[in-house]
Amino acid sequence: MLLHIPGIFNREEVHRIRQALEQAQWVDGKSTAGYQSAKAKRNLQLTDDNPLAREISEVMLQRLWQNPLFMSAALPHKVFPPLFNCYTGGGAFDFHIDNAIRQVKNSPERVRTDLSSTLFFSDPDDYAGGELVIQDTYGSQRVKLPAGDLLLYPASSLHKVEAVTRGARYASFFWTQSLVREDSQRTLLFEMDQAIQRLTVDVPDHPALIQLTGNYHNLLRRWADV
């Protein structure tokens, strides 16, 4: 499931964040890549201990934990601390699949990467190229979202970032370990939850809502990995 989640940051916030990112100290993105990925990766990144990265990450995670769409779709258990990248001057990241397990720096904690997320801080017109290309069951999906919006997709997907030939593409990316490991089960639960929410608005007193809600929670109880 690919899901567009709009408006994590508003336009004014995005403008301030992008100005700060433009002034930041960037390093070679290969420093955080595995052996295979490093051969395909040509971009810039902020270091894990960069104060700006930590500041934005803290606000971003607060927003996500309060976002009903993200919570319903991701069913998050753990989130790997967000990272920040910049693609410019031909920078690209060829086809790859994200590592299954990520070790949090200077911590014993590990995060299983069930879901990948990219939060865009550059608008599509700010740069040429730079599409996030994701291979899924429906073929190849090419994504360039408005600044402030987030894309959520299975980390098991083969994906790449096309070369940026004009301007700069600023974004944050991170991984989520879900309470439900299997993507098809998460998708079913998400669709059920969205249907229940719509019915709660349209027919709030319908007796079937109790049964549907119970079925949702019984499935979640069966599939949750905690």
Side-chain angles (χ1 to χ4, degrees), residues 26-172:
W26 296 86
V27 300
D28 190 337
K30 293 182 187 294
S31 61
T32 60
Y35 174 74
Q36 291 294 334
S37 293
K39 295 188 292 185
K41 190 176 187 181
R42 303 185 303 281
N43 68 1
L44 302 172
Q45 254 177 238
L46 296 184
T47 59
D48 297 341
D49 57 357
N50 186 289
L52 176 62
R54 290 185 173 182
E55 179 183 353
I56 302 171
S57 295
E58 183 177 344
V59 177
M60 186 165 66
L61 292 178
Q62 288 175 352
R63 299 280 176 88
L64 290 170
W65 241 251
Q66 296 168 2
N67 186 288
L69 200 55
F70 177 81
M71 296 299 290
S72 177
L75 295 170
H77 178 47
K78 299 179 185 178
V79 173
F80 187 86
L83 301 171
F84 295 80
N85 58 24
C86 172
Y87 290 85
T88 190
F93 198 165
D94 292 336
F95 274 121
H96 63 286
I97 293 178
D98 294 330
N99 291 349
I101 305 293
R102 303 287 301 197
Q103 180 85 41
V104 178
K105 190 174 181 180
N106 300 322
S107 168
E109 185 169 22
R110 296 177 179 178
V111 176
R112 188 183 68 236
T113 59
D114 298 323
L115 292 155
S116 294
S117 294
T118 297
L119 198 160
F120 293 79
F121 290 115
S122 298
D123 280 313
D125 292 341
D126 292 340
Y127 57 98
E131 293 86 354
L132 177 58
V133 182
I134 303 169
Q135 299 284 357
D136 68 4
T137 53
Y138 301 103
S140 181
Q141 309 296 319
R142 303 174 66 84
V143 182
K144 289 179 78 169
L145 296 184
D149 291 8
L150 179 139
L151 183 74
L152 182 71
Y153 60 98
S156 56
S157 304
L158 186 67
H159 61 283
K160 70 175 180 177
V161 176
E162 295 277 24
V164 172
T165 57
R166 174 184 57 80
R169 176 192 187 272
Y170 294 99
S172 176

